[in-house]
Amino acid sequence: MGERLAGTAWVLWTCARMQAREMAGNHLGLIICIVQPAVLVLVTVGSRTDQPTATLTRWTIGVVLTSLWASTVWVAGGILRMELHYGTLAASVTSVRPGFLVLLGKCLGATLRSVVVIAVSVTVTVALTGTGISLHNPGWLLLGTLLTVVSGASLGMLLACVLLLTQYGQQVSAALMYPVFILGGLLVPADLLPVQLRWCSTLISLRWAQDFLAGAASGTVAPGSLGMAALLTVGYFVLAVVLFGKVVDRARKEGTLELV
């Protein structure tokens, strides 16, 4: 059991490190993780410094998570399509290690790098604008951040499988990104949306992560929000593993994917 866990950890670490290195030269990733969060901070937090600290803190966390969603769609979600493009998909899905484990490691690497770069960009921009935010309960904030990384990676896995099944990956990515910007409850509060659309945000783990992180940073811990984020994350992961298996089976039986 110990050797198996060590082997799994090694695969995840190796794949995560490789994906993080690949992202270093991704200009789209730099725009999404550096430029976009800085602009969003200036438009939201930077222009309303008269708001209460708790509100500014929630908006700032919303900017981080909105940028993370964009990175998940365009970077983590496109991992399998890029491997198909470069001809390395076969090695990933037919190796001695489970293919979904390789994908998970790469999505973890992409998500973790995105979170770090976005956080740096937001921190610098907030400091330059002189915006005051609160950061209470550092232990809970760390736990919430780790769950957010895992949740982003699970979403990335799910999107990677979905986008691999269509030849209109860029169009689908764009179609997925902006509705979450509006309906996800991250920058636009859910109570400002039409009643018929408010339920949409309850299916997005990042919304619950924002509730937990914003509350913890302001001094109020909401374990219910953390639990909902964790539950949705597990759901994303299970769906991603099931869909990944179907993608591989389809490729092997029907030859619909260019694995060789």
Side-chain angles (χ1 to χ4, degrees):
M1 177 62 74
E3 292 182 359
R4 187 174 182 178
L5 290 176
T8 299
W10 179 83
V11 172
L12 292 175
W13 165 251
T14 301
C15 294
R17 184 178 59 177
M18 179 176 64
Q19 185 62 35
R21 287 180 176 177
E22 289 181 4
M23 287 180 62
N26 188 326
H27 299 298
L28 177 61
L30 293 177
I31 293 174
I32 291 174
C33 297
I34 297 178
V35 179
Q36 179 176 263
V39 171
L40 289 177
V41 168
L42 293 175
V43 171
T44 57
V45 181
S47 62
R48 299 297 301 275
T49 54
D50 57 322
Q51 294 295 311
T53 301
T55 300
L56 296 176
T57 300
R58 183 177 183 84
W59 288 352
T60 301
I61 293 174
V63 167
V64 173
L65 296 179
T66 299
S67 300
L68 175 60
W69 168 249
S71 176
T72 298
V73 170
W74 290 108
V75 180
I79 286 176
L80 291 183
R81 289 184 63 84
M82 291 301 296
E83 291 205 359
L84 179 63
H85 176 74
Y86 289 114
T88 58
L89 181 59
S92 296
V93 302
T94 60
S95 64
V96 295
R97 302 290 184 179
F100 76 86
L101 198 62
V102 175
L103 177 59
L104 174 60
K106 292 188 174 184
C107 288
L108 280 172
T111 304
L112 184 57
R113 180 182 173 87
S114 296
V115 168
V116 171
V117 177
I118 291 169
V120 171
S121 175
V122 168
T123 300
V124 171
T125 308
V126 166
L128 291 176
T129 58
T131 304
I133 61 174
S134 57
L135 293 175
H136 300 292
N137 300 309
W140 286 109
L141 287 176
L142 178 60
L143 177 61
T145 301
L146 291 176
L147 177 59
T148 300
V149 170
V150 174
S151 188
S154 299
L155 272 170
M157 289 180 65
L158 184 58
L159 290 174
C161 295
V162 171
L163 297 180
L164 187 63
L165 294 175
T166 176
Q167 57 181 324
Y168 303 106
Q170 291 186 346
Q171 292 81 354
V172 173
S173 296
L176 288 172
M177 184 171 67
Y178 295 106
V180 173
F181 278 12
I182 300 172
L183 304 176
L186 300 175
L187 290 181
V188 180
D191 56 5
L192 296 182
L193 299 173
V195 177
Q196 299 85 347
L197 298 176
R198 292 178 185 177
W199 63 270
C200 297
S201 65
T202 62
L203 302 179
I204 301 172
S205 62
L206 297 182
R207 171 263 170 108
W208 296 103
Q210 182 190 30
D211 287 346
F212 175 79
L213 290 170
S218 299
T220 303
V221 178
S225 296
L226 185 67
M228 282 298 300
L231 183 62
L232 287 170
T233 298
V234 172
Y236 299 154
F237 180 76
V238 171
L239 285 175
V241 172
V242 172
L243 187 56
F244 183 81
K246 292 184 179 297
V247 168
V248 175
D249 287 342
R250 177 183 174 186
R252 288 173 174 169
K253 294 178 181 178
E254 302 177 13
T256 52
L257 296 179
E258 299 173 7
L259 296 180
V260 294

